[in-house]
Amino acid sequence: MPVKVKPRIALALQGGGAYGAYGWGVIDRLLDEDFDIVSVSGASAGAVNGAALVAGLAQDGADGARATLGAMWRDVSSCSPLGALQMLDVTHGMFAPIFDPFVRKTLESAKLMNNFVAPWMPSSVRNMRALREVVGRHVDMTVFGAEKTIPFYVSATNILTGGARIFSGEDVTLDAIMASACLPELFDPVVIGEDHYWDGGYSANPPLDPLLRTRKRATDMIVIQLTSFTTQAVAGNVVEMMARVSDISFNACLLRDLESLLRLQKSVRDGGVVDRELRDVAAVNLHMVSAAPELGGRGAAAKSDTRWSTIEELRDLGYQTADAWLQEHHDELGHESTFAFEEERGAA
């Protein structure tokens, strides 16, 4: 029987718009466990969740993380353009069958028109003011880089080079979080120094490499996925096609990084490599809490739906998915990997 090991967890948080609420639910369930979270990385919505998680942990442990994430997502919903419908109580309960299709069609139409109307949107939209203010209200940015704060890594995509920049320590500013979440079809580029940035999902979604090289080594890396690698059907219209293209492009770098990591680990294990750092990388157990199949059936524009009722549904789904995953894999944490690349690629 293997010696009991308290897992040291590195969390890698994928981006995915409003599906970040699903990621919140997964994190919430993981916080129930007696794990040491030793590092976090994130892109886009994953960067927003990661900032709230790390800042909350620094302030008041797991309770602080839960409180910060909950307050932030409630505020995201309050600032949503869909908030008025939610306040009128017409998009859930007995009215849902009437108004939900209307909301979905409206969001799909908006997605279709974004490329045409975005340049003429008010500057308060183009400069991400709403999200900037929400994150600024709930996340204490001064904790990043402090000695007792766990390492946090945020990716953004340099527009000129196409490469990923990984922000860490004191470089994790509000601008860096906004850069990581900057969708070009909606927002102006975020300028940091002399460089211009778009969403980190295009280049590192989420960053994996920094999590393997932190001072306090992780026994396990858990990737929280928001967008499934596969789908059940070919896109049937332009909006579905746009959504699928976005999903493929945002998953491409994660697929690349996972393949590279698995090849490296296998080479080290099979080849008798003596380099200490490479052996440490090979020793990290890899896991993925996959995107729940139910996420794939929510519609082409579901990642834009920030009504509180929707956010609650996504959070609960994430919590339930993580709970089921832990029931199956809890005892393997600290001992062996559970991620099977072929199974994930073939999953619905």
Side-chain angles (χ1 to χ4, degrees), residues 113-135:
M113 296 300 294
N114 274 341
N115 292 332
F116 301 102
V117 303
W120 292 277
M121 286 182 179
S123 60
S124 60
V125 174
R126 296 291 295 172
N127 66 15
M128 308 178 71
R129 187 177 73 183
L131 181 60
R132 183 181 292 271
E133 291 179 351
V134 167
V135 175

Side-chain angles (χ1 to χ4, degrees), residues 11-327:
L11 281 182
L13 310 178
Q14 192 182 38
Y19 283 8
Y22 170 87
W24 165 31
V26 174
I27 294 167
D28 198 34
R29 177 61 185 87
L30 293 177
L31 288 170
D32 292 339
E33 298 295 320
D34 186 25
F35 299 151
D36 282 337
I37 298 177
V38 298
S39 56
V40 177
S41 72
S44 199
V48 174
N49 273 344
L53 170 63
V54 172
L57 287 172
Q59 292 168 340
D60 191 22
D63 288 341
R66 291 190 188 93
T68 303
L69 281 160
M72 183 184 70
W73 276 101
R74 172 67 81 170
D75 205 359
V76 165
S77 177
S78 298
C79 295
S80 167
L82 299 175
L85 289 175
Q86 191 76 61
M87 290 177 65
L88 292 171
D89 199 37
V90 296
T91 61
H92 62 289
M94 63 181 294
F95 297 103
I98 300 173
F99 283 94
D100 265 358
F102 167 75
V103 172
R104 285 198 299 271
K105 288 295 184 184
T106 299
L107 291 172
E108 289 175 4
S109 298
K111 186 177 182 66
L112 185 62
M113 296 300 294
N114 274 341
N115 292 332
F116 301 102
V117 303
W120 292 277
M121 286 182 179
S123 60
S124 60
V125 174
R126 296 291 295 172
N127 66 15
M128 308 178 71
R129 187 177 73 183
L131 181 60
R132 183 181 292 271
E133 291 179 351
V134 167
V135 175
R137 276 193 290 269
H138 299 285
V139 176
D140 179 4
M141 305 301 297
T142 67
V143 304
F144 301 117
E147 184 178 352
K148 293 185 179 180
T149 302
I150 64 173
F152 178 42
Y153 306 95
V154 173
S155 64
T157 304
N158 185 302
I159 296 175
L160 294 185
T161 68
R165 176 174 174 183
I166 309 301
F167 297 88
S168 63
E170 294 178 354
D171 288 338
V172 179
T173 61
L174 194 51
D175 280 340
I177 302 296
M178 293 305 103
S180 187
C182 181
L183 289 170
E185 65 267 27
L186 288 176
F187 307 120
D188 291 328
V190 175
V191 181
I192 300 176
E194 297 182 356
D195 295 315
H196 294 67
Y197 295 97
W198 279 336
D199 198 294
Y202 294 113
S203 54
N205 190 22
L208 303 185
D209 185 70
L211 299 178
L212 300 166
R213 305 178 190 279
T214 52
R215 184 165 50 87
K216 188 174 183 179
R217 295 288 184 174
T219 59
D220 301 81
M221 179 193 296
I222 300 178
V223 179
I224 298 180
Q225 185 188 44
L226 304 187
T227 301
S228 177
F229 292 133
T230 62
T231 187
Q232 289 282 9
V234 175
N237 57 50
V238 174
V239 177
E240 291 176 357
M241 178 189 70
M242 292 169 62
R244 185 57 186 154
V245 167
S246 176
D247 289 350
I248 290 171
S249 63
F250 272 59
N251 265 328
C253 51
L254 178 57
L255 285 167
R256 174 202 67 204
D257 292 345
L258 286 170
E259 286 180 314
S260 297
L261 174 56
L262 289 171
R263 281 199 298 269
L264 173 62
Q265 288 187 321
K266 186 176 188 302
S267 296
V268 172
R269 291 164 182 164
D270 294 348
V273 173
V274 297
D275 181 88
R276 174 68 180 273
E277 185 174 9
L278 289 179
R279 285 193 286 114
D280 285 344
V281 169
V284 176
N285 302 306
L286 184 60
H287 314 275
M288 178 181 287
V289 179
S290 301
E294 292 91 333
L295 292 176
R298 298 185 72 90
K303 290 180 180 179
S304 302
D305 188 350
T306 50
R307 292 174 291 164
W308 180 245
S309 58
T310 303
I311 287 173
E312 283 188 306
E313 290 174 8
L314 290 167
R315 179 203 61 200
D316 291 347
L317 178 61
Y319 190 96
Q320 293 158 12
T321 301
D323 186 65
W325 186 90
L326 284 166
Q327 288 185 39

